[in-house]
Amino acid sequence: MPTLIAVGNGFGIEGILGAQLIGGIVMMLVGYFIQYIRQLFPPVVAGTVVLVIGLSLYDIAVKYMAGSGNTSAEGFGDLINWAVGGITLVTVLLASQFGKGVIKLSAIIVGIVVGYIISLALGMVDFSSIGEAAWFSVPRVMPFEMEFHGAAIASMVVICVINSVQTIGDLSATSVGGMNRELETKELTGGLLGNGLTTAVSAFFGALPTSTFSQNVGIVAMTKVISRFVLAITAVFMILAGLSPKFSAVMTTIPYPVLGGATITVFGMITMTGIQLLVKDEMSARNMTIVGLALALSLGIASVPEAIAQFPEVVRNIIGGAPIVVAAITAFVLNIVLPNKSLSDEAKEREAIEAAEAAEDSVAHQPGAKANSAS
């Protein structure tokens, strides 16, 4: 978002769409060549990215439960917001842990429905946007002309590459959370190509770039529903809903506390999926260094954005407020730079060091050594 805003301020929507087209093509290139560099994204890298994705979403859920995504909004933190969010959360937990069949699989929907009904009773739902929305709307081809500017394209290409790294994390987390196995190369290639293709095609319809939605990873981990047939049916519903602004307006009437209560568990599932990925690799000193440093830098910079205020604007747009980007870059670079030693290798090194120290102690305690020391 910061990059799109910066490009839009400088070159308008036309500049965004032109850069987006090039960025989508670059994403497809990443998807094609990922089969040759897949080894550069082992579980320690993908798991770190997924873990940071989960951790970085917690504040969003808490803000929503408090009443808004903006802490300065009116009524933020009111007890009534927390009550609605808490009831929604408890409903999701009860449905997911004690429900059966459809109730168990649709625990999040059940929680949202219960929270919505309570919000209606409390007068927290605003229907004004529904009356203003049209029933039907068809997207137009090329509603804006595309313009191509070097600075805008450079910024968008960088962001699209980073977006691809996040996509690798999301796809890996979906595979582990939904099927308890690592992502296959052909699946990863297809996901990245699809993401790039939709980004490029969207530019012709005046739509903004697409991105894998990390929150949905947690839903897959919770429900275990990974059928492509089910996803295809869902896609049809989404297309139909996209043709009706009225439906979109209905969705926006769901109060923030309801969304927060329904999703905070999902975000926790994403975090645990990241941990699952990490433990697939042995926790050697090298791997713990990669994970620890990536977490420290990404979450540290995200919590104190003023720390990078003196950095160039391009750098701030890339890493500012985006811990996933910092974690991905850190883990990727460290995985290449640090020597890859297994736990057995580290154990052998420790044994060798201990043996050398023991030999030195043995020499030091010999009579001749003591005499030389005294002289």
Side-chain angles (χ1 to χ4, degrees):
M1 287 304 298
T3 300
L4 290 176
I5 292 172
V7 172
N9 287 335
F11 307 103
I13 185 67
E14 296 82 3
I16 290 178
L17 296 176
Q20 175 182 327
L21 176 61
I22 305 301
I25 295 173
V26 170
M27 291 169 72
M28 286 190 284
L29 291 175
V30 172
Y32 175 77
F33 287 105
I34 195 66
Q35 57 187 310
Y36 303 109
I37 58 174
R38 175 71 190 275
Q39 67 276 11
L40 299 179
F41 297 92
V44 67
V45 175
T48 300
V49 175
V50 175
L51 180 59
V52 172
I53 288 173
L55 295 175
S56 64
L57 292 172
Y58 290 161
D59 66 322
I60 297 176
V62 171
K63 287 178 181 178
Y64 279 14
M65 291 184 73
S68 176
N70 184 3
T71 56
S72 61
E74 182 180 356
F76 183 85
D78 285 352
L79 293 181
I80 190 66
N81 294 331
W82 280 104
V84 172
I87 292 173
T88 304
L89 172 58
V90 171
T91 303
V92 172
L93 289 176
L94 291 176
S96 64
Q97 299 301 316
F98 302 101
K100 295 182 179 180
V102 175
I103 298 297
K104 182 180 180 68
L105 291 177
S106 58
I108 296 172
I109 299 298
V110 173
I112 290 177
V113 170
V114 171
Y116 194 82
I117 293 173
I118 294 174
S119 300
L120 277 173
L122 296 174
M124 298 174 62
V125 181
D126 181 12
F127 293 107
S128 59
S129 61
I130 298 179
E132 301 170 357
W135 282 101
F136 186 74
S137 177
V138 178
R140 293 185 295 122
V141 179
M142 294 293 288
F144 305 98
E145 294 293 331
M146 294 186 192
E147 295 181 2
F148 300 92
H149 304 276
I153 292 174
S155 299
M156 191 68 75
V157 165
V158 171
I159 289 299
C160 284
V161 171
I162 296 300
N163 183 292
S164 297
V165 175
Q166 178 177 340
T167 301
I168 292 172
D170 286 338
L171 294 175
S172 300
T174 300
S175 178
V176 173
M179 295 174 282
N180 198 29
R181 65 168 175 79
E182 289 189 40
L183 191 68
E184 295 181 3
T185 300
K186 64 178 182 180
E187 296 168 335
L188 178 58
T189 300
L192 291 172
L193 285 172
N195 196 24
L197 179 62
T198 51
T199 293
V201 172
S202 296
F204 291 99
F205 293 91
L208 296 177
T210 58
S211 174
T212 51
F213 204 56
S214 302
Q215 288 87 324
N216 289 338
V217 175
I219 296 177
V220 173
M222 177 180 290
T223 64
K224 306 298 181 183
V225 177
I226 47 86
S227 168
R228 287 189 293 179
F229 178 73
V230 173
L231 295 178
I233 295 176
T234 306
V236 172
F237 277 107
M238 291 182 66
I239 292 172
L240 295 176
L243 298 174
S244 175
K246 188 77 72 176
F247 179 84
S248 303
V250 171
M251 292 296 99
T252 60
T253 64
I254 302 176
Y256 279 108
V258 176
L259 294 175
T263 56
I264 191 167
T265 304
V266 171
F267 299 165
M269 294 295 292
I270 298 174
T271 303
M272 297 311 299
T273 301
I275 294 175
Q276 278 185 297
L277 267 172
L278 288 174
V279 297
K280 286 184 176 292
D281 263 355
E282 55 184 10
M283 279 291 97
S284 60
R286 171 189 182 271
N287 287 353
M288 286 192 290
T289 299
I290 293 174
V291 177
L293 188 54
L295 288 174
L297 285 175
S298 59
L299 299 179
I301 292 175
S303 62
V304 191
E306 297 82 5
I308 60 172
Q310 302 301 319
F311 281 54
E313 184 179 0
V314 174
V315 177
R316 294 201 308 271
N317 288 338
I318 294 174
I319 68 176
I324 302 168
V325 174
V326 179
I329 294 175
T330 304
F332 180 79
V333 172
L334 289 179
N335 179 63
I336 296 175
V337 173
L338 298 182
N340 193 359
K341 297 179 181 179
S342 64
L343 286 174
S344 58
D345 292 334
E346 293 178 2
K348 291 178 182 178
E349 286 187 1
R350 285 196 297 271
E351 291 176 359
I353 293 174
E354 291 171 358
E357 291 176 347
E360 291 178 359
D361 291 340
S362 175
V363 172
H365 286 83
Q366 291 179 3
K370 293 182 178 180
N372 291 336
S373 177
S375 62

